[in-house]
Amino acid sequence: MDTPIFSAEDISLAAHLLRKNEIVAFPTETVYGLGGRLFSQEAIQNIYRIKGRPSDNPLIVHISLLEDIERLAQEIPSEFYLLAEAFFPGPLTIVLKRRPEIPSMICAGLQSIAVRMPAHPLALELISQVGEPLVAPSANLSGRPSPTLVKHVLQDFQGKIAGVLDGGPCDVGIESTVVSLLEPQFPLLLRPGKISQEWIEKILNRKINPIEKKSDRSHLLASPGMRYRHYAPKAMIRLFFTSSDYSSYLSMTMSPKKKMLVSSQKSSRLFEPLEHFTLNNQTLYALFRQADEEDYEEIIVFCDEEISGNLALMNRLLKAAQA
Ligand code: TXA
Ligand code: MG
């Protein structure tokens, strides 16, 4: 059976299905999420199965009211409330110590829980109609680009989920920033996003550490998601940081491979008349999906200052290039 697409007027149908432990995808300001009831073992198992997600990679819990946090976490540090005041609802996920009654499956056995309050009005309304927080990983098959349109959700889950709530294109386009306050004295940036490290440091009035060093095993435990293959289109991704390297690659390469040329809107004018696709947070995942659909063999990216200075975007590009 085809997966129904619900519009905003049909949101109560989506909430009804979720209450019956079905899986329904919904829009957030970052990317679409694959939603299920937090306290439904059936829903959680189905999310892992349908997505093909390894069971040791935990899920983010989405709330619509700040007081919901007390049902999820314990020993909540004051830093949490500072960040919540500054950024909720918005694209920030915060890792805290979990309450013992939280199903351990969603936390992949960790003692922690990742929580965020999405800024999309339909997400907030859906959570409040269901009457409890919703777990939601990004609504893509494991290893595929995250979805920023209903079309992307259906490319991966047509006929496999009970519905998808249509909220139009996602404003932010890349997943939330993830910060851990498990040790409030040593906040850790687990995943970069639109909310930058500097911005968080300003609110907390202290430095925080990014987890980046590949050799450091502790980061694997702190952020299980970082261990997995990510956002990999079939095409090989090549990144160039100077226009001369970029142009000489284009002029010298003899390969007949089908190439997708990508740059910021500003830089694309430099390379006229060659046609370029515009890269920014909002177009990244759609371009990866288009490259797969149209059998591009190489994605060639000119990283000007606008792109290379966007750490969240560079993080996704580098992961995709390494995968
Ligand atoms: O923007 C987003 O965060 C989107 C939308 C749908 O809300 N969701 C999302 O979920 O990106 P997902 O499952 O694709 O990524 C969740 C990330 C993973 O890297 C996971 O390992 C990490 O958050 N995570 C979840 N729970 C964690 C925990 N208890 N401790 C550390 N990392 C955690
Ligand atoms: Mg994801």
Side-chain angles (χ1 to χ4, degrees), residues 26 28-34 51 53 56-62 91 93 95-96 106-108 110-116 118 136-140 146 174-178 180 182 190-191 221-226 228 230-231:
F26 63 90
T28 82
E29 79 281 31
T30 58
V31 300
Y32 277 76
L34 203 54
K51 197 173 148 73
R53 186 181 185 106
D56 58 355
N57 193 4
L59 306 178
I60 294 176
V61 180
H62 295 64
T93 296
V95 176
L96 297 168
I106 69 150
C107 313
L110 300 174
Q111 296 309 310
S112 57
I113 186 164
V115 184
R116 86 179 195 93
S138 52
N140 53 284
S146 289
I174 55 172
E175 305 85 344
S176 59
T177 306
V178 182
S180 172
L182 267 185
L190 302 182
R191 181 171 72 183
L221 298 172
S223 183
M226 294 180 67
Y228 296 104
H230 269 88
Y231 326 118

Side-chain angles (χ1 to χ4, degrees), residues 30-54:
T30 58
V31 300
Y32 277 76
L34 203 54
R37 279 186 55 222
L38 167 65
F39 291 106
S40 163
Q41 196 183 0
E42 179 190 344
I44 295 167
Q45 274 172 347
N46 278 337
I47 286 177
Y48 276 98
R49 184 177 51 78
I50 294 171
K51 197 173 148 73
R53 186 181 185 106

